[in-house]
Amino acid sequence: MAVYTEVDDTALANFLADYDLGSAIAFKGIAEGVENSNYLLETTKARFILTLFEKRVNESDLPYFMGVMDHLADKGFPAPLPVKAKDGKALRTLCGRPAVIITFLSGMSLSRPNVEQCRELGEGLAKFHAALSDYVGDRKNSLSVEAWRPMFEGREAEANALNAGLTEHILSDLDALEAEWPANLPSGVIHADLFPDNAFFLGDKLTGVIDFYFACNDALVYDIAICLNAWCFEDGRGEYNHTKGRALIAGYQAVRPLSDTEKEALPLLCRGAAMRFFLTRLVDWADTPKDALVRPKNPIEYAEKLGFHRNAKGFFDYGG
Amino acid sequence: MAVYTEVDDTALANFLADYDLGSAIAFKGIAEGVENSNYLLETTKARFILTLFEKRVNESDLPYFMGVMDHLADKGFPAPLPVKAKDGKALRTLCGRPAVIITFLSGMSLSRPNVEQCRELGEGLAKFHAALSDYVGDRKNSLSVEAWRPMFEGREAEANALNAGLTEHILSDLDALEAEWPANLPSGVIHADLFPDNAFFLGDKLTGVIDFYFACNDALVYDIAICLNAWCFEDGRGEYNHTKGRALIAGYQAVRPLSDTEKEALPLLCRGAAMRFFLTRLVDWADTPKDALVRPKNPIEYAEKLGFHRNAKGFFDYGG
């Protein structure tokens, strides 16, 4: 949950004066996203989400993210549309922070996605990649392989405190990932954080994808690797649900079949994706002050997933 | 902000099966109330607020609160209505907690109520009292004069740490309040926590009153005293805005004129109301753990308001 910046009714009314959205009739801070402040905003015209970007977001990246949402909406992909003010600009300032109003999407986040929902998510991911295939923006993945060793440095004792011997495993994983990380895979815009929190469903149908604030240009199949980690393990444990994985991959391939090179790369990319989330959670776990508004997630879950990927032999281990 | 109990989509779907509200199409934790967990729930039929009562609420008081809301809605007062499940009961259990679905009210909370809004609030408060004049439920005010000295005991050093010499003032206030606290004032159901957070406005019109979880039976004019403290001081300081106070009292008296006894009692009741909020904030300030989801409010604001009331000579000091 996260409302870091309090927006009062006066500030909101002044802000809305720049738009053609009518006036506010309801406004509530919501527990969505962990990096930014989010409000549900209802005006006399419609419902929206107001996002204020907090310090962890790099302001220079915001036009890229806005462009991704615009592009997706243009292509009919179910993503929120940044709403333009009267001057044609969606990205504005509120309470000293960059801020944007985006359209409201219906749907529910799933706590335990079923097999059909995993298939639907895979298909949605492929459609997301396809919709963005002609997007001209470019943003480097700042949380990829070269970032990982520096993130881990100095945290060896913390990792061993979580699980005896974990540091040794992480260091050998980093060696392998750095040595074998593939270049030249088909690339494009990836979501890079498509966890169940960031997808809305009505029944088994995907009705919305949100939170594009880790989106970047990288190998498309790396996005599948992230989703397999996020969607296809049993609740917070290192047990891979092969049936769900197979469904997710099949859903993806129904729209965009993977090349042999991508299939071969998948196990290592899954290991890398688990490493990325292990490391960011490890850093947050150690660095989050006790009075923070967000409770950090335990990194152990991703250490266990790393254990699965370390032993995977090939694409078939994932249901491919 | 407050979402203490996480409700997932499966738990929610099971819960909604007991109602005739259709299925959920959006569900977001919201930052409303500090004692309970609140979610905005949209179903295929309408929008609602789902509240889960957390540990600080006494379960045996819940039927009284539900009855107050039912009664207000029956009388056409703009308060949320507890929604009954198929078995006719509004008060249920979700995730091990007492839970209720109430109707959604439009409107915005005011950060800086203006004079007209203070008048409207006073009028709304009198209508609230009138609507509940035939409510049969009875609940003692557990945060009234006899509760205050025990709350302060052991916190003398904390109070002096906030402001040198404050403890001496508080002890002499408690002496005066205990000696002079009036009995036999016209009484009935009071809201007892009608802060700007708990009132919704559209423009200058009061469109909703929420959060009845401190409601109790007590002197009606004590509710005015609470509102004068909450609505008519300059932002977080001990400076009374006489114009706003006069408007609030006039709005109230337009519906229910105060007796001479009530007018005479008002200054002491204002001092008592300031003491009540000073003490609960002092306790929360000292006792809230650093990792809590709610940031405690600084009690100094109410120590300053106490200073104003200590020097007030009569009803006219408040704009009466």
Side-chain angles (χ1 to χ4, degrees):
Chain A
M1 62 191 312
V3 178
Y4 303 93
T5 302
E6 297 260 359
V7 178
D8 70 28
D9 58 313
T10 313
L12 178 66
N14 291 337
F15 184 70
L16 284 178
D18 290 337
Y19 291 82
D20 190 23
L21 295 178
S23 57
I25 57 174
F27 187 59
K28 297 181 193 300
I30 58 171
E32 202 152 271
V34 293
E35 304 279 325
N36 303 314
S37 295
N38 288 290
Y39 289 88
L40 176 72
L41 164 66
E42 181 172 355
T43 76
T44 42
K45 293 204 175 172
R47 271 177 296 152
F48 305 93
I49 301 290
L50 167 66
T51 299
L52 287 87
F53 297 99
E54 304 292 342
K55 286 170 198 157
R56 276 174 74 153
V57 173
N58 188 340
E59 276 196 54
S60 63
D61 288 334
L62 293 174
Y64 176 86
F65 302 140
M66 298 299 121
V68 164
M69 284 191 273
D70 275 335
H71 203 88
L72 288 170
D74 274 354
K75 298 286 178 87
F77 185 88
L81 176 67
V83 177
K84 293 181 174 58
K86 290 171 186 166
D87 65 1
K89 291 181 189 152
L91 198 57
R92 312 192 74 74
T93 301
L94 176 57
C95 299
R97 302 244 173 263
V100 64
I101 291 175
I102 60 177
T103 52
F104 181 89
L105 300 178
S106 291
M108 311 279 293
S109 289
L110 306 170
S111 53
R112 277 177 219 85
N114 64 29
V115 173
E116 176 53 27
Q117 289 159 341
C118 288
R119 202 207 59 75
E120 172 85 359
L121 189 274
E123 189 180 318
L125 183 66
K127 288 178 176 169
F128 173 91
H129 291 162
L132 291 165
S133 61
D134 57 345
Y135 182 60
V136 294
D138 190 47
R139 178 176 178 264
K140 190 172 170 298
N141 187 352
S142 57
L143 292 172
S144 188
V145 61
E146 64 278 11
W148 298 337
R149 196 178 293 270
M151 287 174 76
F152 189 61
E153 273 167 14
R155 301 193 182 267
E156 295 80 359
E158 283 163 34
N160 273 335
L162 286 171
N163 205 336
L166 181 56
T167 289
E168 196 181 333
H169 280 305
I170 297 296
L171 291 172
S172 81
D173 287 331
L174 288 172
D175 289 342
L177 290 163
E178 286 168 356
E180 301 166 37
W181 197 251
N184 304 320
L185 290 169
S187 74
V189 181
I190 68 168
H191 184 288
D193 194 36
L194 188 41
F195 276 59
D197 283 359
N198 290 331
F200 294 151
F201 281 78
L202 287 175
D204 290 342
K205 192 172 155 44
L206 180 70
T207 58
V209 170
I210 63 167
D211 207 344
F212 299 92
Y213 307 119
F214 288 98
C216 56
N217 293 60
D218 204 341
L220 299 176
V221 65
Y222 183 56
D223 231 3
I224 303 180
I226 290 169
C227 290
L228 290 172
N229 273 286
W231 291 73
C232 302
F233 281 82
E234 294 303 315
D235 291 352
R237 301 200 304 272
E239 299 159 23
Y240 185 69
N241 185 318
H242 196 268
T243 308
K244 291 183 179 178
R246 188 165 53 197
L248 195 154
I249 293 169
Y252 189 91
Q253 293 209 93
V255 176
R256 190 183 79 85
L258 295 172
S259 69
D260 288 345
T261 325
E262 289 179 298
K263 291 176 185 174
E264 275 164 38
L266 187 77
L268 191 81
L269 295 179
C270 282
R271 196 169 164 190
M275 179 63 77
R276 174 257 187 262
F277 289 101
F278 169 75
L279 289 171
T280 49
R281 290 190 180 187
L282 182 69
V283 170
D284 288 346
W285 190 252
D287 294 356
T288 302
K290 291 257 181 291
D291 61 348
L293 290 170
V294 173
R295 291 189 176 149
K297 290 176 178 159
N298 195 321
I300 270 294
E301 176 186 341
Y302 273 85
E304 291 184 10
K305 290 176 181 178
L306 264 171
F308 175 84
H309 301 309
R310 205 174 285 137
N311 295 319
K313 300 278 183 292
F315 188 48
F316 55 87
D317 278 312
Y318 293 91
Chain B
M1 63 192 310
V3 179
Y4 302 92
T5 303
E6 298 260 358
V7 179
D8 70 27
D9 58 314
T10 312
L12 179 65
N14 291 337
F15 184 70
L16 285 178
D18 290 337
Y19 291 83
D20 189 24
L21 295 176
S23 57
I25 58 176
F27 188 60
K28 297 181 193 298
I30 57 172
E32 203 152 271
V34 293
E35 303 279 326
N36 303 313
S37 297
N38 287 289
Y39 289 87
L40 176 73
L41 164 67
E42 182 172 354
T43 75
T44 41
K45 294 203 174 170
R47 269 176 298 151
F48 305 93
I49 302 290
L50 167 66
T51 299
L52 286 87
F53 297 98
E54 302 293 341
K55 286 172 198 156
R56 276 174 74 155
V57 173
N58 188 339
E59 276 197 56
S60 63
D61 288 334
L62 294 174
Y64 176 87
F65 303 141
M66 298 299 121
V68 165
M69 286 191 272
D70 275 335
H71 203 88
L72 289 169
D74 272 355
K75 296 288 178 85
F77 186 88
L81 175 68
V83 177
K84 293 181 174 59
K86 289 171 188 168
D87 65 0
K89 292 182 188 150
L91 198 57
R92 313 193 71 75
T93 303
L94 175 57
C95 299
R97 302 244 173 261
V100 64
I101 291 175
I102 59 177
T103 53
F104 181 89
L105 299 179
S106 289
M108 311 279 293
S109 290
L110 306 170
S111 54
R112 277 176 220 84
N114 65 29
V115 173
E116 175 53 25
Q117 289 159 341
C118 287
R119 201 207 60 75
E120 171 84 359
L121 189 274
E123 188 180 319
L125 183 66
K127 288 178 177 169
F128 174 90
H129 291 161
L132 291 165
S133 61
D134 57 346
Y135 181 60
V136 295
D138 189 47
R139 179 177 177 262
K140 191 172 170 296
N141 186 351
S142 57
L143 292 172
S144 189
V145 61
E146 64 278 10
W148 299 337
R149 195 178 294 270
M151 286 174 77
F152 190 60
E153 274 167 13
R155 301 191 183 269
E156 296 80 359
E158 283 164 34
N160 274 334
L162 286 171
N163 206 336
L166 181 56
T167 289
E168 197 181 333
H169 280 305
I170 297 298
L171 291 172
S172 82
D173 287 332
L174 288 173
D175 289 343
L177 290 164
E178 287 168 354
E180 300 166 37
W181 198 252
N184 304 320
L185 290 168
S187 74
V189 180
I190 68 168
H191 185 289
D193 194 35
L194 188 41
F195 277 59
D197 284 359
N198 289 332
F200 295 150
F201 281 77
L202 287 175
D204 290 342
K205 191 171 157 45
L206 180 70
T207 58
V209 171
I210 62 167
D211 207 343
F212 299 91
Y213 307 119
F214 287 98
C216 55
N217 292 61
D218 204 341
L220 298 176
V221 65
Y222 183 56
D223 231 2
I224 303 181
I226 290 168
C227 289
L228 291 171
N229 273 287
W231 291 73
C232 302
F233 282 81
E234 294 302 316
D235 291 351
R237 302 199 304 270
E239 300 159 22
Y240 185 69
N241 185 317
H242 196 270
T243 308
K244 290 183 179 177
R246 189 166 51 199
L248 194 154
I249 292 169
Y252 189 91
Q253 294 209 90
V255 177
R256 189 183 80 86
L258 295 171
S259 69
D260 289 345
T261 326
E262 287 180 299
K263 291 177 185 174
E264 275 164 38
L266 187 78
L268 191 82
L269 295 180
C270 282
R271 195 169 165 191
M275 178 64 78
R276 174 258 188 261
F277 289 101
F278 170 74
L279 289 171
T280 49
R281 289 190 181 188
L282 182 69
V283 170
D284 288 346
W285 189 253
D287 295 354
T288 302
K290 291 256 181 291
D291 61 348
L293 290 169
V294 173
R295 289 186 180 154
K297 290 176 178 159
N298 195 321
I300 269 295
E301 176 186 342
Y302 273 85
E304 291 184 10
K305 290 176 181 178
L306 265 171
F308 175 85
H309 302 308
R310 206 175 284 137
N311 295 319
K313 299 278 183 293
F315 188 46
F316 56 87
D317 278 311
Y318 293 92

